[in-house]
């Protein structure tokens, strides 16, 4: 039986190593790669085809919620588990939960990680709170809308989010075009759409507004 391949994306090296060790100790699972942010993951590890992606919710560049939309373009068969050490499940809106297979606190132990991975691969959802989770069929694990949703998905397309991530790095249209394999004119079209979505008129304002909304964070 082919081992379950797990990709870990977290900007904290210690957290990545801890998750990698826990995954490596699980039966029929193996870590296949690590990345510090969403852009590193799809750029450096695009040749991989992970079954599960463990993705931190709060990282430099795109946050985990927006990151899932981008990563789905590159890892089309993967299931996505959001992990967080600072935000609880109530920080993720019901709409955003439809794009992910589950949630785990970073304090989760090997048993809970194993259960969550098995649940997601079987087509269920695993939304744990304070160490209490369970495998539920489909989206029945939403338990209604959360009380305080801080991470709601935007209406930007995955490609627009990739361009936004590049804007957040301070890159010009020409450099963005090079990194994403697009024409400069296509980049200009995406930038215009981003400005319109955010209701701003300049690139600087777009970055600041995107950071204010929590779509991206300043690079550390």
């Amino acid at each position: 039986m082919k081992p379950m391949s797990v990709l870990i994306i977290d900007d904290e090296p210690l957290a990545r190593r801890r998750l990698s060790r826990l995954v490596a100790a699980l039966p029929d699972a193996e870590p296949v790669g690590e990345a510090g942010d969403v852009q590193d993951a799809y750029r450096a590890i695009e040749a991989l085809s992970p079954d599960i992606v463990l993705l931190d919710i709060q990282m430099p560049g795109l946050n985990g919620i927006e990151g899932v939309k981008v990563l789905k373009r590159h890892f089309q068969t993967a299931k996505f588990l959001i992990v967080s050490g600072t935000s609880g499940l109530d920080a993720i809106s019901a709409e955003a939960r439809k794009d992910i297979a589950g949630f785990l606190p970073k304090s989760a132990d090997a048993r809970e990680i194993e259960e969550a991975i098995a649940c997601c691969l079987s087509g269920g959802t695993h939304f744990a709170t304070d160490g209490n989770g369970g495998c539920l069929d489909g989206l029945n694990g939403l338990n209604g809308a959360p009380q305080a949703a801080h991470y709601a998905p935007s209406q930007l397309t995955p490609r627009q989010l990739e361009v936004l991530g590049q804007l957040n790095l301070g890159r010009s249209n020409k450099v963005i075009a090079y990194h994403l394999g697009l024409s400069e004119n296509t980049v200009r079209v995406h930038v215009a759409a981003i400005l319109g979505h955010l209701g701003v008129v300049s690139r600087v304002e777009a970055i600041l507004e995107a950071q204010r909304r929590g779509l991206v964070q300043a690079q550390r």
Side-chain angles (χ1 to χ4, degrees):
M1 178 178 175
K2 177 181 175 291
M4 298 175 293
S5 56
V6 183
L7 172 61
I8 299 166
I9 308 174
D10 194 314
D11 65 306
E12 298 178 2
L14 289 178
R16 284 203 310 272
R17 286 196 289 271
R18 175 182 180 273
L19 281 173
S20 185
R21 285 196 302 269
L22 288 173
V23 169
L26 300 179
D28 301 321
E30 66 176 17
V32 295
E34 299 179 14
D37 59 41
V38 171
Q39 288 170 296
D40 279 347
Y42 72 72
R43 183 171 58 242
I45 317 175
E46 61 185 354
L48 298 177
S49 181
D51 299 307
I52 290 285
V53 177
L54 295 176
L55 176 65
D56 188 19
I57 196 173
Q58 198 170 26
M59 294 179 292
L62 293 174
N63 69 43
I65 299 302
E66 299 299 325
V68 167
K69 293 164 64 176
V70 171
L71 291 169
K72 278 178 176 287
R73 291 185 65 245
H74 300 272
F75 308 126
Q76 297 180 6
T77 62
K79 303 290 187 180
F80 293 85
L81 266 168
I82 292 289
V83 298
S84 177
T86 57
S87 300
L89 177 58
D90 63 349
I92 306 175
S93 71
E95 181 182 359
R97 295 186 209 179
K98 294 176 183 178
D99 287 329
I100 61 178
F103 171 89
L104 283 170
K106 284 190 180 179
S107 59
D109 58 22
R111 176 195 57 78
E112 187 173 4
I113 292 173
E114 181 179 9
E115 289 178 355
I117 289 175
C119 172
C120 296
L121 289 178
S122 70
T125 58
H126 186 281
F127 289 96
T129 55
D130 298 325
N132 297 313
C135 190
L136 296 165
D137 183 27
L139 292 174
N140 293 331
L142 295 181
N143 295 323
Q147 296 300 308
H150 305 297
Y151 291 95
S154 73
Q155 298 305 308
L156 293 173
T157 67
R159 183 60 93 180
Q160 289 166 355
L161 287 168
E162 289 179 324
V163 172
L164 177 60
Q166 296 285 314
L167 288 176
N168 193 51
L169 295 173
R171 290 173 172 166
S172 67
N173 286 357
K174 183 175 183 179
V175 175
I176 293 173
Y178 170 78
H179 280 280
L180 297 183
L182 303 172
S183 70
E184 286 189 61
N185 185 61
T186 299
V187 172
R188 281 193 291 270
V189 171
H190 286 315
V191 171
I194 291 167
L195 297 183
H197 174 77
L198 296 176
V200 297
V201 296
S202 73
R203 298 160 72 95
V204 172
E205 288 178 312
I207 294 168
L208 293 175
E209 178 63 15
Q211 290 176 354
R212 186 190 71 79
R213 296 189 188 189
L215 302 180
V216 297
Q217 294 186 52
Q219 299 296 124
R220 297 172 187 169

